[in-house]
């Protein structure tokens, strides 16, 4: 473990890319799924920075429960790709310790339902370290976890509790929705000087394949991505629900509605400027989330629109969400998950209100 020096953390604090100068070419362009893009980014981070380590349950020999870390142990050895005991609190705690000493741990939690054991470490230590030490130490760690439903998993495997971490000061919460954004956002999260909770929508781990250039370039954190331009309505979502949202926008186009689609990507801190500018243009907004309806990120976005763009609204903001219940067992999972039809119905109702 490298020395505990504030100067070392400060050197990294600007979050500058350590990317190589590699240029796109046949050797570094990969047609990959989202989970393969995660693997690609981890491999790149381990290659570029000797302070990066990866740890978690079964992530070494087995390559992780979803194979996100497949082959990394063979490439980088057991001292940098570390199998841990079945103890999530330990994984988070040792990551805080490593990060405070100048390393850059990337910890994996197998499912969102098991992440609750890390809350003590993330809330009371990771998120507070910079403030507690008056800037002398930072905590450049990433806590990765697959989240959300849609794969017919048992209880405690399909939660969407992203709002819980978004509510914790000092933590950055990032959620990719495609292979390209997974690669770029994870690299930026690893290089970030403060702790990042990186939530991976496992329902789309292998849904689509994209060409990803493995050039070490990160994507900006704290920035929404506008995936589709429109003038009649703003649709805001993140994670796996971005796919249903894009399908809904396509259906709306068939009836003459031009919907703008925004992928939030970093839910905390929230890029409200992009959302507000879109709502000022369209006058209408529907927020789509898989998480329970109440007290969530969708509620925060709706409140901020009311505070900052009320006079531009031509209709009340609508939310399409899961239910305020635990995620049901697999047989009823489809009844819980928001559908394309739900989004189209909410959009149509919003347009009729104008």
């Amino acid at each position: 473990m490298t020395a505990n020096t504030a100067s070392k953390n400060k050197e990294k604090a600007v979050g500058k890319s350590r990317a190589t100068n590699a240029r796109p070419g046949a050797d570094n362009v990969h047609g990959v799924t989202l989970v393969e893009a995660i693997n690609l980014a981890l491999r790149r981070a381990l290659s570029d920075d000797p302070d990066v380590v990866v740890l978690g349950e079964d992530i070494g020999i087995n390559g992780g429960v979803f194979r996100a870390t497949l082959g990394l142990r063979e490439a980088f050895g057991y001292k940098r790709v570390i199998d841990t005991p079945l103890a999530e609190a330990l994984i988070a705690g040792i990551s805080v310790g490593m990060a405070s000493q100048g390393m850059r741990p990337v910890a994996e939690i197998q499912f969102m339902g098991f992440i609750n054991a890390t809350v003590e470490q993330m809330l009371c230590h990771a998120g507070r370290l910079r403030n507690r030490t008056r800037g002398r130490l930072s905590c450049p760690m990433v806590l990765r976890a697959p989240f959300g439903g849609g794969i017919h998993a048992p209880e405690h495997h399909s939660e969407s509790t992203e709002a819980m971490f978004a509510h914790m000061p000092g933590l950055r919460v990032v959620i990719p929705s495609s292979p390209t954004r997974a690669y770029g956002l994870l690299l930026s999260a690893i290089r970030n000087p403060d702790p990042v909770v990186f939530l991976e929508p496992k329902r789309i781990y292998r849904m689509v394949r994209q060409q990803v250039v493995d050039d070490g370039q990160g994507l900006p954190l704290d920035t929404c991505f506008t995936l589709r331009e429109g003038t009649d309505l703003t649709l805001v979502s993140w994670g796996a629900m971005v796919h249903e949202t894009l399908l809904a926008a396509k259906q709306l186009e068939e009836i003459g509605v031009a919907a703008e689609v925004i992928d939030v990507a970093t839910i905390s801190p929230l890029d409200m400027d992009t959302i507000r500018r879109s709502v000022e243009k369209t006058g209408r907004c529907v927020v789509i989330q898989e998480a329970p309806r109440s007290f969530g990120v969708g509620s925060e976005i709706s409140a901020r629109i009311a505070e900052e763009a009320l006079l531009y609204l031509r209709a009340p903001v609508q939310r399409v969400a899961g239910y305020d219940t635990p995620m049901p067992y697999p047989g009823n999972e489809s009844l819980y998950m928001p559908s394309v039809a739900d989004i189209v119905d909410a959009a149509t109702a919003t347009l009729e209100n104008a």
Side-chain angles (χ1 to χ4, degrees), residues 43 46 54 65 105 109 151 160 198 200 223 235 264 299 321 334:
R43 189 178 293 272
L46 285 160
V54 178
V65 66
I109 302 299
I151 66 165
S160 295
F198 195 87
E200 300 162 10
T223 301
L235 302 177
V264 178
S299 303
S334 62

Side-chain angles (χ1 to χ4, degrees), residues 235 241-252 288 320 337-347:
L235 302 177
M241 290 310 302
V242 167
H243 290 263
E244 278 79 8
T245 302
L246 286 168
L247 290 172
K250 196 170 183 179
Q251 287 192 14
L252 290 166
I288 302 102
V320 178
M337 307 280 288
S339 67
V340 174
D342 294 334
I343 301 169
V344 171
D345 287 347

Side-chain angles (χ1 to χ4, degrees), residues 272 287 296-310 317 319:
M272 197 60 206
V287 186
V297 179
S299 303
E300 173 67 18
I301 292 172
S302 301
R304 294 279 295 274
I305 291 172
E307 289 174 349
E308 301 175 20
L310 178 64
V317 177
R319 287 175 291 162

Side-chain angles (χ1 to χ4, degrees), residues 149-287:
I151 66 165
H152 306 300
E155 189 182 15
H156 291 307
H157 290 66
S158 301
E159 278 75 3
S160 295
T161 53
E162 63 267 30
M164 177 174 67
F165 287 102
H167 188 68
M168 298 178 186
L171 297 184
R172 186 172 261 99
V173 183
V174 179
I175 302 177
S177 64
S178 71
T180 53
R181 284 189 286 285
Y183 176 84
L185 291 173
L186 181 55
L187 282 177
S188 295
I190 294 170
R191 295 164 182 155
N192 193 69
D194 292 304
V196 176
V197 177
F198 195 87
L199 301 177
E200 300 162 10
K202 61 181 179 290
R203 179 161 63 88
I204 59 172
Y205 259 159
R206 295 177 171 83
M207 178 181 285
V208 297
R209 191 173 289 275
Q210 286 181 338
Q211 295 293 312
V212 173
V213 181
D214 182 21
D215 57 0
Q217 296 296 320
L219 287 172
L221 303 177
D222 312 342
T223 301
C224 293
F225 295 88
T226 300
L227 305 183
R228 182 185 175 112
E229 301 282 347
T231 55
D232 298 325
L233 175 77
T234 300
L235 302 177
V236 180
S237 191
W238 54 93
M241 290 310 302
V242 167
H243 290 263
E244 278 79 8
T245 302
L246 286 168
L247 290 172
K250 196 170 183 179
Q251 287 192 14
L252 290 166
E253 184 179 36
E254 294 171 359
I255 58 173
V257 176
E260 187 148 297
V261 176
I262 294 176
D263 176 6
V264 178
T266 301
I267 63 169
S268 179
L270 182 63
D271 171 19
M272 197 60 206
D273 289 345
T274 298
I275 297 171
R276 187 187 63 251
R277 282 197 297 269
S278 177
V279 172
E280 289 175 357
K281 178 174 64 174
T282 66
R284 308 172 183 88
C285 184
V286 177
V287 186

Side-chain angles (χ1 to χ4, degrees), residues 11-48:
E11 180 186 346
K12 296 173 179 175
V14 293
K16 289 183 177 177
S17 169
R18 293 188 175 189
T20 67
N21 294 320
R23 294 183 178 180
D27 292 339
N28 63 344
V29 178
H30 304 264
V32 293
T33 61
L34 195 152
V35 71
E36 290 168 344
I38 296 292
N39 182 280
L40 203 61
L42 291 172
R43 189 178 293 272
R44 166 64 69 164
L46 285 160
S47 296
D48 286 356

